[in-house]
């Protein structure tokens, strides 16, 4: 984070799993506030605003409820302190009034936590959130913008089955090393068959499809989405004119490396940057602590 600050970002968006609720099970219900306060301290020292959306571990087996994490928006420096839910939209740009040539609209959404059904894996975006996105996009009462970017934690199912434009989709290899691939596909020649068929292009999404991606296609107001969750992946994909991007894992404690079972990361820890030029285009890349850029610049445009 300190290195990220050195790059002078205008805004930092934390896309979940910032807090691992499991170690806090015996602590006070508001103990997450202290940990998060320490995290954002360097941002405050440099007057860099921030916002946050939760992942599946921020309230995992914790003494607090997911809704309690909304208190984080009360901390200093939060750009979205007025938000009452984890699903909201706002504009950023160089001018006081939003316009269609120099404004970007950001959508920050809650992709949900762990689902009690192991066959489902994770929750997903509630239907009312998808409906709200549709209604806001169609109503014509949103301020104009040149492009839209969406941020959440768990990847959409539509991230799967694609070849990266850049970066790495390392989930299958991590699952293989972590003994998460079911028999017989964890043994040769079946593993090679999986790769040959392209079935290794998996992502850690919910088995429930909220329909959010289809709605984004219809509304044509999202240039790119950004998520986290799959620690061994930092890929940028493209489907139907929408760029589907991972961030870059930055932590040093579990579940950073899938509790150690997934093997070494295929890349250095870092952070994904997005530069918006307000002409319907953006550029994204990854910065690492050793100042070397090991993920090529990708130019995102319709």
């Amino acid at each position: 984070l300190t290195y990220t600050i050195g790059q002078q970002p205008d805004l930092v968006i934390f896309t979940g799993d910032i807090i691992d609720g499991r170690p806090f099970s015996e602590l006070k219900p508001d103990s997450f506030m202290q940990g998060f306060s320490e995290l954002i301290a360097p941002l405050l020292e440099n007057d860099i605003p921030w916002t946050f959306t939760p992942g599946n571990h921020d309230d995992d087996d914790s003494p607090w409820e997911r809704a309690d994490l909304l208190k984080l928006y009360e901390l200093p420096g939060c750009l979205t302190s007025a938000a009452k839910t984890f699903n909201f939209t706002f504009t950023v740009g160089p001018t006081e009034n939003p316009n269609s040539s120099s404004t970007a609209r950001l959508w920050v959404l809650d992709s949900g936590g762990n689902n009690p059904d192991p066959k489902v894996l994770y929750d997903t975006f509630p239907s009312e959130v998808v409906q709200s996105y549709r209604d806001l996009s169609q109503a014509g009462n949103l301020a104009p913008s040149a492009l839209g970017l969406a941020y959440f934690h768990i990847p959409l199912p539509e991230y799967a089955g694609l070849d990266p434009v850049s970066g790495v989709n390392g989930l299958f290899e991590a699952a293989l090393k972590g003994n998460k691939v079911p028999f017989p596909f964890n043994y040769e020649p079946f593993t090679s068959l999986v790769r040959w068929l392209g079935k290794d292009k998996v992502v850690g999404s919910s088995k429930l499809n909220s329909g959010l991606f289809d709605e984004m296609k219809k509304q044509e107001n999202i240039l790119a989405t950004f998520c986290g969750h799959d620690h061994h992946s930092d890929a940028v994909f493209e489907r139907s004119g929408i760029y589907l991007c991972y961030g870059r894992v930055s932590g040093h404690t579990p579940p950073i490396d899938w509790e150690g079972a997934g093997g070494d990361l295929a890349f250095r820890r870092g952070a994904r940057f997005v530069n918006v030029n307000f002409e319907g285009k953006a550029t994204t890349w990854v910065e690492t602590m050793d100042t070397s850029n090991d993920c090529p610049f990708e130019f995102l445009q319709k």
Side-chain angles (χ1 to χ4, degrees):
L1 184 59
T2 300
Y3 174 76
T4 298
I5 291 171
Q7 306 306 300
Q8 300 180 324
D10 297 302
L11 171 67
V12 171
I13 301 179
F14 296 105
T15 53
D17 280 8
I18 306 304
I19 306 164
D20 187 348
R22 292 169 290 185
F24 291 87
S25 59
E26 297 180 0
L27 298 182
K28 295 180 180 179
D30 62 349
S31 55
F32 63 87
M33 293 289 282
Q34 178 180 350
F36 206 93
S37 295
E38 294 174 2
L39 172 68
I40 63 173
L43 298 179
L44 303 182
E45 293 172 1
N46 290 272
D47 296 322
I48 298 175
W50 60 272
T51 189
F52 160 84
T53 186
N56 58 303
H57 285 302
D58 292 285
D59 62 336
D60 187 6
D61 196 28
S62 68
W64 54 79
E65 300 295 328
R66 195 172 188 83
D68 293 332
L69 294 171
L70 286 168
K71 295 177 183 177
L72 292 172
Y73 292 154
E74 301 173 6
L75 292 175
C78 181
L79 187 65
T80 55
S81 58
K84 304 302 181 184
T85 76
F86 292 123
N87 300 287
F88 50 86
T89 182
F90 60 99
T91 56
V92 294
T95 60
E96 181 176 355
N97 296 317
N99 59 72
S100 58
S101 62
S102 64
T103 300
R105 174 163 294 282
L106 307 185
W107 301 80
V108 180
L109 305 171
D110 181 5
S111 55
N114 295 323
N115 192 284
D117 186 345
K119 295 181 180 180
V120 174
L121 295 178
Y122 311 107
D123 296 330
T124 189
F125 306 94
S127 58
E128 56 266 28
V129 170
V130 179
Q131 180 68 50
S132 293
Y133 163 72
R134 179 190 305 120
D135 292 345
L136 285 170
S137 299
Q138 293 179 340
N141 57 2
L142 286 178
S145 60
L147 58 86
L149 305 174
Y151 291 82
F152 41 83
H153 180 70
I154 297 175
L156 298 164
E158 286 79 7
Y159 274 59
L162 299 172
D163 291 317
V165 175
S166 68
V168 176
N169 179 358
L171 181 58
F172 179 76
E173 297 303 321
L176 197 61
K177 293 177 181 178
N179 296 317
K180 301 291 186 179
V181 176
F183 179 84
F185 303 108
N186 54 340
Y187 289 96
E188 292 291 2
F190 299 103
T191 303
S192 294
L193 178 63
V194 169
R195 295 192 180 103
W196 183 73
L197 293 172
K199 299 299 183 181
D200 59 328
K201 302 173 185 179
V202 295
V203 300
S205 62
S206 172
K207 301 303 180 183
L208 303 172
N209 194 321
S210 66
L212 179 60
F213 180 80
D214 287 340
E215 197 58 49
M216 288 178 175
K217 286 197 303 181
K218 293 178 182 177
Q219 300 306 324
E220 298 182 331
N221 61 356
I222 300 294
L223 175 64
T225 68
F226 299 88
C227 72
H229 189 61
D230 293 338
H231 311 130
H232 290 262
S233 298
D234 73 340
V236 173
F237 306 105
E238 187 274 332
R239 185 188 291 275
S240 301
I242 299 175
Y243 292 91
L244 307 173
C245 312
Y246 279 103
R248 172 70 72 85
V249 70
S250 57
H252 289 261
T253 57
I256 175 67
D257 58 357
W258 208 343
E259 314 297 358
D264 295 334
L265 296 171
F267 37 68
R268 293 180 289 275
R269 294 170 176 84
R272 179 166 293 283
F273 280 69
V274 181
N275 182 59
V276 178
N277 67 6
F278 302 112
E279 295 177 355
K281 303 176 183 179
T283 307
T284 183
W285 70 97
V286 171
E287 294 279 358
T288 59
M289 289 185 63
D290 59 6
T291 72
S292 62
N293 186 317
D294 62 347
C295 184
F297 285 75
E298 290 300 330
F299 299 93
L300 312 179
Q301 61 183 32
K302 290 290 187 182

